[in-house]
């Protein structure tokens, strides 16, 4: 199964470039144009990454979350879920950058190839910042009564989190 | 919300560390925190620049449009309240396709356009319509095929297989999307 993951990036690159050639797109010039936009994107998110990593580091190094969630440890142990992943699951729907900072902390302390590292990677990859997206999209058309949108979105996130744990345990156990 | 959250992180973190008496490590954390942040941001540059370049080719060659058109008939079934020829449907599929390819910055304008079109068909202007909720549930459960940021960060921390999480992430995404759409369907039909 992991071979599929290995092949997807190379195949995707070949496909996109091949398709571009076939459609007579100036692929090199277009690549440069996109790369420039990518650089601008990084430039824009640079300060927020620094700000969030700074704040998240202080919070995580105070160990308040580990101590606060100590009572959940027996349950998590049975389900084979590392405690370190909890703050990430809680923050993910609110801020993508903050959860990225937590992801970095998990990689730093436990390594990207640990169970916690893999679960956190899948978690970051499979869900989105639900609360932020809802605020942005509903705000853009001035909708104030959002009915069951938030609870349904958060329910989907919750299932995504559970699925991440189960799938990583299944794949890499 | 993000302002309060950021402040809370810092205040709770510092106060709790002071209570538990780890003043030495606290200074260290505060002073090196920014450095860590800069490191991550710098490490993200190569892959984001590279990927934006590749994706621009996908956009210019109309690959994005083509993928969107393939999924349109399937997606239209999820939005029974929209008119069959609704413009919103086109924007919705483009948004989902752009998100799937990791083109976040290209996805947002399509998404906002989709909201605008759905608002035109909405009878009650301050209340979310059924179609809007379905769209946002689908959008936030996020179908991303290649999570580039995660891979870049794994690469930075010397993962043996940075890309090994792609398939698990796709499967987890499918689970959350189906669960979200299912609950959305139940709540939508219950009302009528």
């Amino acid at each position: 199964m992991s071979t599929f993951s290995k092949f997807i990036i190379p195949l995707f690159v070949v496909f996109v470039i091949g398709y571009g050639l076939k459609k007579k797109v100036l692929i090199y010039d277009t690549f440069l144009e996109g790369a420039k936009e990518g650089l601008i994107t990084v430039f824009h998110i640079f300060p927020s990454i620094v700000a969030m990593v700074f704040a998240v580091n202080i919070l995580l190094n105070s160990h308040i979350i580990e101590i606060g969630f100590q009572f959940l440890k027996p349950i998590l142990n049975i389900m084979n879920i590392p405690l370190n992943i909890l703050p990430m699951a809680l923050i993910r729907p609110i801020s993508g950058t903050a959860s990225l900072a937590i992801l970095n902390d998990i990689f730093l302390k436990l390594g990207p190839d640990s169970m916690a590292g893999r679960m956190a990677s899948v978690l970051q990859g499979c869900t989105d910042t639900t609360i932020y997206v809802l605020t942005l999209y509903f705000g853009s058309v001035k909708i104030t009564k959002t009915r069951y949108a938030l609870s349904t979105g958060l329910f989907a996130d919750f299932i995504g989190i559970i699925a991440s744990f189960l799938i990583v345990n299944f794949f890499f156990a | 919300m993000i302002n309060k959250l950021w402040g809370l992180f810092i205040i709770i973190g510092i106060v709790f560390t002071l209570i538990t008496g780890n003043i030495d490590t606290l200074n260290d954390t505060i002073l090196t925190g920014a450095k860590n942040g800069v490191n991550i941001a710098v490490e993200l540059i190569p892959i984001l620049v590279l990927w934006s370049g590749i994706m621009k080719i996908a956009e210019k060659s109309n690959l994005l449009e083509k993928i969107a058109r393939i999924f349109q008939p399937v997606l239209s079934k999820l939005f029974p309240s929209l008119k069959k020829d609704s413009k919103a449907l086109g924007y919705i599929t483009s948004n989902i396709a752009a998100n799937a390819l990791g083109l976040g910055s290209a996805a947002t304008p399509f998404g906002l356009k989709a909201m605008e079109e759905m608002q035109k068909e909405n009878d009650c202007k301050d209340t979310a319509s059924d179609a809007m909720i379905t769209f946002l549930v689908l959008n936030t459960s996020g179908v991303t095929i290649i999570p580039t940021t995660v891979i870049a960060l794994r690469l930075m921390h010397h993962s043996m297989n940075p890309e090994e999480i792609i398939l698990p992430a796709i499967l987890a995404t499918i689970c959350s999307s189906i669960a979200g759409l299912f609950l959305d369907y139940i709540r939508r039909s219950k009302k009528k």
Side-chain angles (χ1 to χ4, degrees), chain A:
Chain A
M1 277 308 230
S2 69
T3 32
F4 174 84
S5 293
K6 253 184 195 126
F7 275 102
I8 188 163
I9 293 178
L11 287 180
F12 193 80
V13 170
V14 165
F15 179 70
V16 169
I17 294 191
Y19 193 82
L21 271 177
K22 195 183 137 215
K23 294 279 163 183
K24 303 206 167 49
V25 173
L26 298 170
I27 48 173
Y28 181 69
D29 296 333
T30 309
F31 178 87
L32 292 186
E33 191 188 321
K36 201 166 125 195
E37 282 174 19
L39 203 57
I40 294 169
T41 308
V42 180
F43 185 75
H44 279 299
I45 61 173
F46 208 112
S48 58
I49 291 180
V50 175
M52 268 305 171
V53 172
F54 170 70
V56 165
N57 263 359
I58 293 175
L59 184 74
L60 293 180
N61 285 349
S62 76
H63 301 291
I64 188 168
I65 291 167
E66 276 130 290
I67 294 166
F69 285 111
Q70 206 64 43
F71 70 97
L72 281 176
K73 215 168 180 181
I75 310 166
L76 294 178
N77 276 343
I78 296 169
M79 290 156 76
N80 211 359
I81 298 168
L83 189 62
N84 311 57
I85 201 128
L86 271 189
M88 191 167 160
L90 290 175
I91 297 297
R92 181 70 186 117
I94 305 168
S95 163
T97 340
S99 67
L100 194 70
I102 301 176
L103 180 68
N104 181 64
D105 187 74
I106 292 172
F107 285 174
L108 214 60
K109 285 176 183 152
L110 303 164
D113 296 325
S114 63
M115 281 313 254
R118 285 165 172 156
M119 282 178 184
S121 305
V122 173
L123 196 64
Q124 179 82 10
C126 84
T127 57
D128 206 336
T129 45
T130 303
I131 294 174
Y132 169 77
V133 172
L134 288 187
T135 315
L136 175 75
Y137 280 27
F138 279 136
S140 75
V141 286
K142 300 195 177 62
I143 278 176
T144 46
K145 291 176 190 137
T146 59
R147 292 162 65 204
Y148 51 85
L150 180 64
S151 54
T152 310
L154 289 178
F155 171 75
D157 288 345
F158 179 71
I159 296 297
I161 291 166
I162 302 286
S164 304
F165 295 156
L166 295 178
I167 290 168
V168 169
N169 269 326
F170 176 75
F171 262 75
F172 302 104

Side-chain angles (χ1 to χ4, degrees), chain A residues 5 12 19 33-34 37-38 51 57 62 104 112-113 118 121 128 137 141 143-145 147 151-152 156, chain B residues 6 16-17 36 40 52 55-56 60 66 119 126 128 130 132 140 154 157 159-160 164 167 176 187 191:
Chain A
S5 293
F12 193 80
Y19 193 82
E33 191 188 321
E37 282 174 19
N57 263 359
S62 76
N104 181 64
D113 296 325
R118 285 165 172 156
S121 305
D128 206 336
Y137 280 27
V141 286
I143 278 176
T144 46
K145 291 176 190 137
R147 292 162 65 204
S151 54
T152 310
Chain B
W6 191 72
F16 195 76
T17 316
N36 272 326
I40 297 176
S52 308
M55 283 312 176
K56 196 79 199 176
K60 274 267 167 77
K66 198 171 176 185
Q119 181 71 320
D126 65 339
D130 290 353
M132 286 177 183
T140 57
R154 292 173 62 81
H157 287 281
S159 165
M160 305 285 281
E164 70 181 1
L167 184 60
S176 71
R187 296 175 103 169
K191 203 189 63 182

